[in-house]
Amino acid sequence: MEVLNIVFSALNLLATVIIGVIQLTWTISRDVFGDKPRAKHYSHNKK
C-alpha cells in the first residue's frame, strides 16, 4: 500500500508541474504575442 501512495504522490506532483509549466507558457506567450495577428496567410499573395 505504501508503494501505491508513493506512485500516486509522484504522479500528482508530475501533473502539478506540467500544469504549472503550461500556465506559465500560456501567460508568457499571451504577453509576448498578444498584439500580433493570429496567423499569417500567404495564400492571397500567390495569385
Side-chain angles (χ1 to χ4, degrees), residues 28-39:
I28 291 172
S29 66
R30 191 178 51 194
D31 289 341
V32 171
F33 300 110
D35 56 346
K36 296 179 182 173
R38 296 183 72 100

Side-chain angles (χ1 to χ4, degrees), residues 13-41:
L13 179 64
L14 184 64
T16 305
V17 168
I18 290 173
I19 290 173
V21 168
I22 289 173
Q23 287 179 343
L24 182 65
T25 306
W26 180 259
T27 303
I28 291 172
S29 66
R30 191 178 51 194
D31 289 341
V32 171
F33 300 110
D35 56 346
K36 296 179 182 173
R38 296 183 72 100
K40 291 184 177 181
H41 297 284

